[in-house]
Amino acid sequence: MAAYGLITGWGKYLPRRVLTNEELEKMVDTSDEWIASRTGIRERRIVADDETVSTMAVEAGKRALEVAHLAPSSLDLIIVGTNSPDRLVPGSAFLVQHAIGATKAAAFDIAAGCSSFIHALATAYQFISSGAYENILVVGSDAVSRYINWEDRGTCILFGDGAGAVVVQAKGVASDMLQFLLGSDGGGADLLYVPGVCDRTTGTPPNGHHVIMEGREVFKFAVTTMAEASRQVVKDAGLQISDIDLFIPHQANDRIIQAAARSLGIPSEKVFVNLEHYGNLSAASPAVALCEAVEQGRLKAGDLVILVAFGAGLSWAAMVLRWQPLASKEKV
Ligand code: UT7
C-alpha cells in the first residue's frame, strides 16, 4: 500500500475523577473481585460536570501538537472519533477546531464505535497520501459515562472517559502506516448501541440515552474479530505475526485481549494493557494506549505495531505501523 504520512505527535487527557470498583460496589450489586477477575478493570476516570468530549480532545490535541512542534494554525484537518459528542449537531471536531485556534482546518467527526479512532487515523493517512493535506490532528475522545445507566451492572463497570490524539504529517518519506483494514456488520447493530432521538427500534427513550449491550455476544464477536482482523492486516502488509513487536488492542476486557493474543500466538510481553486504570475508553482506547506505549518506552524506532479495535456498529479496524519516532524532531 503506497502511502505517505507519519505520526509526529501524540498526547492524552484523562479526567481527574477516579471511580474505583469499591465505589461501584456501593452503587450496584457487584464486587471488586467480580469486576477485576471478569474484566481486569480496577478503576476508571469520569468527566467533571464542565468536561466534554471536545474539552478532553482539546487537551489531548494540544499535547500532540506540542510533541509534533506544530502550530494549530498549520493544521489542515481535524478528525475526532467519538461516540459521545458534546452535541448531536455539529460534530465535536468543530468545537476542537475553534478552541485550539486551528484557523484553516476543516473538521468532522467519525462515529464507528470503539473502532472510531482507527477509522479516523486511516482516513487521515488517505488525505495525506492523496496529497490533499499535510497536517492532520486525529483524536479519539469519549465520555461514555454520560450515557451510562448507573443501575445496569452489566455496563456501568466497564467504561471510563478520556481522550488520545496524534498528529499525522506529510514528510515526503515512506509512511509509518503499512496497512489498514476497516470492517462493518450492521446486522449486529442491536448488540451494542445508544438509542437516538428517533431510534427505529425504541423511539425516543423515556429514561434517557443509555448504553444498551448484549455483553456475551459482544465478547464472542470481539475475540474472533480482533484475532481475524489482526491476522489479515499483517498478512496484507506482507508480514507475519511473529514480526510484530507490540500488539495494542482495544482495551475493553482483559479476557478478550488475552484470548485474542493467545489465538494469534503473541506472547504477553508483546501485549500492551492499560485498562486496569481506565476501563474501556471507547474511541479513546487505542489512542491513549498508543500514547502510553510511547511514553513508557515500549516502542522504539523501526518497531512493528498492530493497532486493533472492535465495537458498536458492529465495527472493527486494524492497522500495522512501523514506528518512526525520530520524525517528530524534524522541522515542518
Ligand atoms: O467496546 C466494546 C464494549 N463492550 C465489550 O467489550 C463487552 C464485551 N463483554 C464483556 O466484557 C463481558 O461479557 C462482560 C464483562 C460484560 C460480562 O462478563 P461475562 O463473563 O460475559 O458475564 P455474563 O454476562 O455471562 O454474566 C455472568 C454472571 C451473571 O449471573 P448469573 O446469571 O450467572 O447468575 C450476571 O448476572 O455474572 C453476573 N454479572 C455480574 N455480577 C457481578 C454481570 N455483571 C455483573 C457485575 N457484577 N458487574
Side-chain angles (χ1 to χ4, degrees), residues 288-305:
V288 171
L290 177 64
C291 184
E292 294 203 334
V294 181
E295 290 169 352
Q296 293 170 16
R298 298 279 303 271
L299 281 176
K300 56 183 189 313
D303 275 359
L304 289 165
V305 187

Side-chain angles (χ1 to χ4, degrees), residues 10-304:
W10 45 86
K12 65 176 182 184
Y13 175 81
L14 283 313
R16 280 191 176 182
R17 164 86 168 100
V18 175
L19 177 67
T20 63
N21 289 353
E22 287 75 15
E23 286 174 275
L24 281 167
E25 284 177 356
K26 295 176 194 134
M27 297 162 64
V28 285
D29 181 13
T30 191
S31 66
D32 173 48
E33 197 283 327
W34 192 96
I35 302 171
S37 63
R38 296 287 185 125
T39 70
I41 301 165
R42 296 216 173 257
E43 58 189 29
R44 67 288 291 145
R45 304 296 182 89
I46 304 292
V47 280
D49 288 348
D50 60 351
E51 288 180 314
T52 65
V53 153
S54 71
T55 67
M56 294 192 293
V58 165
E59 294 306 316
K62 280 182 180 168
R63 286 169 204 180
L65 287 165
E66 275 168 30
V67 173
H69 303 296
L70 188 70
S73 57
S74 297
L75 283 172
D76 301 305
L77 175 64
I78 298 170
I79 313 176
V80 175
T82 186
N83 305 288
S84 45
D86 305 44
R87 296 172 174 171
L88 277 180
V89 179
S92 291
F94 293 89
L95 303 176
V96 175
Q97 178 271 329
H98 180 66
I100 66 172
T103 44
K104 73 176 175 78
F108 58 83
D109 285 8
I110 286 184
C114 300
S115 315
S116 296
F117 174 73
I118 302 178
H119 277 70
L121 191 53
T123 305
Y125 280 109
Q126 302 317 297
F127 276 109
I128 287 182
S129 56
S130 72
Y133 293 139
E134 293 191 347
N135 302 313
I136 303 181
L137 179 65
V138 183
V139 189
S141 183
D142 255 322
V144 177
S145 69
R146 297 266 197 238
Y147 290 112
I148 289 295
N149 173 359
W150 292 102
E151 293 175 1
D152 176 11
R153 66 179 184 173
T155 52
C156 75
I157 56 136
L158 289 176
F159 294 94
D161 303 333
V166 296
V167 172
V168 186
Q169 290 184 264
K171 286 289 188 184
V173 294
S175 179
D176 55 5
M177 195 276 289
L178 304 185
Q179 196 74 41
F180 72 88
L181 172 163
L182 308 177
S184 69
D185 176 10
D190 291 345
L191 296 180
L192 176 54
Y193 69 105
V194 177
V197 284
C198 44
D199 195 275
R200 104 189 124 77
T201 45
T202 57
T204 302
N207 301 317
H209 301 271
H210 292 142
V211 174
I212 294 170
M213 182 177 76
E214 299 280 344
R216 278 179 220 189
E217 292 307 312
V218 176
F219 190 103
K220 282 186 260 174
F221 157 75
V223 174
T224 312
T225 304
M226 287 225 290
E228 277 178 8
S230 301
R231 217 171 267 127
Q232 189 63 47
V233 79
V234 165
K235 186 173 170 219
D236 293 347
L239 298 166
Q240 300 196 348
I241 292 289
S242 55
D243 296 324
I244 298 301
D245 298 291
L246 193 64
F247 180 57
I248 304 183
H250 173 38
Q251 307 285 310
N253 182 324
D254 196 45
R255 285 160 55 220
I256 295 173
I257 293 173
Q258 300 309 332
R262 253 194 323 275
S263 153
L264 290 164
I266 298 178
S268 56
E269 63 272 17
K270 290 186 174 181
V271 180
F272 188 85
V273 181
N274 67 357
L275 88 175
E276 182 181 354
H277 299 298
Y278 303 138
N280 181 344
L281 289 169
S282 194
S285 166
V288 171
L290 177 64
C291 184
E292 294 203 334
V294 181
E295 290 169 352
Q296 293 170 16
R298 298 279 303 271
L299 281 176
K300 56 183 189 313
D303 275 359
L304 289 165

